[in-house]
Amino acid sequence: MRAARLRRQGEALVIEETAEPVPGPGQMLVRLEACGVCHTDLHIRDGDEQLANGTLPLTLGHEGIGRVTALGAGVTGFALGDRVGVPWLHDTCMTCRDCLTGHESVCADQRAHGMHVDGAFAESVLVDPTFAVPIPDELDSLEAAPLLCAGVTAYGAVRKATLEPGQTCVIFGCGGLGQYAIQFARLAGARVIAVDRDAGRLREARALGAEEALVSDAGTGAAIRALGGADACINFAPSPAIWPAVEAALNPRGRFVSVAMPHEPVALSLVWLTWVTPVITGSSVGGRQELRDTLALAAEHGLSIPIEPIRLEEANTALDRLAGKPGLAPVRGRAVIDFTAG
């Protein structure tokens, strides 16, 4: 089979022929139809996320959808031909407090597709059926692939924002995750203000339901205050530059949820913290139940973002576009590898 393999961090992926894996006990083999290209893939390729010794070479990718083609001994709940998702989580310890209370996405012993084990930038991949998820018939594989990470991550962040009908939610960063978050916040009954530096993304945000769209600059916080302030701010922008706008925008007892992971610190004012009494938290990719809920909502409400189909050979270029490499067009929504194309 063909796969996009990372041989050394900081270098381009290599498209190569490799042996198709054989499922062992408790595993199943999935033949991919589609796989989204995520910022985390970029961080892993470029070395911003450290890999454990002995991990390389590694196949990236954790937004895969495909059909079950082989079952290892002891696998139940799935049959040959079933269409399943290949998410970020490959497996977890299943015994720690977090796993036992539905928070397996923060399990200290988790293993992820495309980071700890081979992922879905390949024609086939091994999956643990405990963490695979059925794909609703209503969803197209190309359209649904980003839901396996971007969608469920946005859903989890909106849940942590605890939005109520009539409240105002500000979405910082309107790429793929932000575009999903706009739709989930609207389903919660919130008014959405979208903030981004890119005018094209702001147009997409309005098309997806944002009532207001603001270009990110030094006056963003004041502009949000003039619109009534924010009951929640969710950050998908990979920059600490959003923090002054968050401080200016948040209403008393507002919530700030950060998904993006810029390494630079922000200057948190303890005076502001005392007077505003906000809730500040982070949010990572969701667990199994959140993923099932995300897929169900997408199937019922037709949630979608702009999708750009690409070939496996274009995976490096897609990652370079996510990195903002000069001369390359930005990805408006999500680039998705189409394994069914000629």
Side-chain angles (χ1 to χ4, degrees), residues 14-100:
V14 178
I15 310 299
E16 61 185 32
E17 294 283 336
T18 186
E20 185 175 73
V22 176
Q27 295 180 320
M28 59 187 188
L29 185 68
V30 174
R31 185 78 171 178
L32 274 302
E33 297 177 353
C35 184
V37 179
C38 178
H39 258 102
T40 303
D41 299 313
L42 172 65
H43 297 323
I44 293 171
R45 185 196 69 171
D46 290 355
D48 297 324
E49 293 288 343
Q50 187 174 359
L51 298 176
N53 291 335
T55 303
L56 297 175
L58 177 71
T59 302
L60 303 191
H62 54 271
E63 292 183 344
I65 292 180
R67 301 276 177 178
V68 177
T69 55
L71 299 170
V75 173
T76 60
F78 290 98
L80 296 179
D82 284 353
R83 193 166 61 125
V84 302
V86 183
W88 170 255
L89 288 177
H90 174 76
D91 59 16
T92 69
C93 77
M94 298 294 288
T95 59
C96 70
R97 187 181 188 89
D98 291 314
C99 286
L100 293 174

Side-chain angles (χ1 to χ4, degrees), residues 12-296:
L13 305 181
V14 178
I15 310 299
E16 61 185 32
E17 294 283 336
T18 186
E20 185 175 73
V22 176
Q27 295 180 320
M28 59 187 188
L29 185 68
V30 174
R31 185 78 171 178
L32 274 302
E33 297 177 353
C35 184
V37 179
C38 178
H39 258 102
T40 303
D41 299 313
L42 172 65
H43 297 323
I44 293 171
R45 185 196 69 171
D46 290 355
D48 297 324
E49 293 288 343
Q50 187 174 359
L51 298 176
N53 291 335
T55 303
L56 297 175
L58 177 71
T59 302
L60 303 191
H62 54 271
E63 292 183 344
I65 292 180
R67 301 276 177 178
V68 177
T69 55
L71 299 170
V75 173
T76 60
F78 290 98
L80 296 179
D82 284 353
R83 193 166 61 125
V84 302
V86 183
W88 170 255
L89 288 177
H90 174 76
D91 59 16
T92 69
C93 77
M94 298 294 288
T95 59
C96 70
R97 187 181 188 89
D98 291 314
C99 286
L100 293 174
T101 56
H103 302 286
E104 62 262 27
S105 62
V106 294
C107 173
D109 293 323
Q110 67 175 270
R111 293 193 299 169
H113 288 116
M115 186 170 185
H116 304 101
V117 300
D118 283 335
F121 282 7
E123 291 176 326
S124 292
V125 62
L126 289 176
V127 179
D128 184 329
T130 305
F131 289 84
V133 59
I135 303 299
D137 292 339
E138 297 89 343
L139 297 178
D140 172 78
S141 291
L142 278 176
E143 294 284 338
L147 292 167
L148 275 294
C149 178
V152 68
T153 300
Y155 173 70
V158 171
R159 285 191 68 201
K160 287 187 178 180
T162 61
L163 296 171
E164 297 179 3
Q167 290 189 327
T168 297
C169 178
V170 179
I171 304 294
F172 289 90
C174 298
L177 280 84
Q179 290 165 0
Y180 279 126
I182 289 167
Q183 296 170 81
F184 287 126
R186 293 285 292 147
L187 285 177
R191 177 180 69 143
V192 175
I193 299 173
V195 178
D196 201 286
R197 293 180 177 179
D198 187 280
R201 285 182 171 176
L202 290 176
R203 287 192 295 271
E204 294 285 357
R206 282 194 176 277
L208 292 171
E211 284 86 350
E212 303 287 345
L214 304 176
V215 175
S216 181
D217 57 27
T220 299
I224 297 170
R225 283 250 59 88
L227 292 169
D231 300 298
C233 292
I234 306 177
N235 181 44
F236 300 101
S239 169
I242 57 92
W243 186 248
V246 172
E247 283 194 337
L250 267 186
N251 291 330
R253 297 182 296 109
R255 282 85 63 200
F256 173 70
V257 183
S258 187
V259 175
M261 297 184 292
H263 291 285
E264 304 87 349
V266 298
L268 176 62
S269 165
L270 297 183
V271 174
W272 172 81
L273 194 67
T274 299
W275 282 107
V276 177
T277 63
V279 174
I280 301 175
T281 188
S283 189
S284 183
V285 66
R288 289 169 292 168
Q289 188 56 54
E290 284 187 321
L291 181 52
R292 288 172 181 263
D293 292 343
T294 298
L295 293 168

